[in-house]
Amino acid sequence: MTGYFVRSMVTAAMLVSAVPALAEATFWSAQVKVDYSGLNLASPSGRQAFDHRIDAAIRTMCGAPVFGTRDEAEALQACHVEARTAAEPQVKAVLARANMTMASRN
């Protein structure tokens, strides 16, 4: 059962800087798991659903836009970009495995 759980999750590890308004430079690391079990990643709709789940995980991790200063908005945008970049190797690996699985079935 544990093996199935691991195969059905992708973990996005992200280093995110704190809001620049803080006086000290603080960094933290977090992980968000994105479940993709039940998605057909070989299909465009499955990949789109997977991408939406990743976006939702990034919003959970970094937050969503709210009214604030320009610096806060820039920090939020930077967090989203860093999170997506950090997750990209894992996302590519998951999609490659899905493509190999599909190819082996044909």
Side-chain angles (χ1 to χ4, degrees):
M1 172 121 170
T2 302
Y4 174 75
F5 180 75
V6 171
R7 286 190 304 269
S8 69
M9 305 296 273
V10 63
T11 301
M14 299 159 237
L15 294 174
V16 183
S17 63
V19 177
L22 298 176
E24 59 187 70
T26 305
F27 291 92
W28 55 278
S29 174
Q31 295 179 347
V32 176
K33 295 182 186 324
V34 177
D35 183 5
Y36 57 90
S37 61
L39 294 179
N40 177 2
L41 297 178
S43 74
S45 62
R47 287 190 303 273
Q48 183 178 24
F50 184 42
D51 196 53
H52 286 301
R53 290 180 186 184
I54 293 167
D55 287 340
I58 290 171
R59 280 191 306 278
T60 297
M61 179 100 186
C62 297
V66 293
F67 294 109
T69 67
R70 182 176 53 201
D71 288 342
E72 291 169 338
E74 289 172 357
L76 178 65
Q77 179 62 28
C79 178
H80 282 246
V81 169
E82 288 176 34
R84 178 58 84 161
T85 301
E88 197 61 32
Q90 293 177 63
V91 170
K92 285 182 180 181
V94 167
L95 294 175
R97 280 194 302 273
N99 287 336
M100 286 190 310
T101 301
M102 188 63 166
S104 67
R105 290 181 185 169
N106 291 332

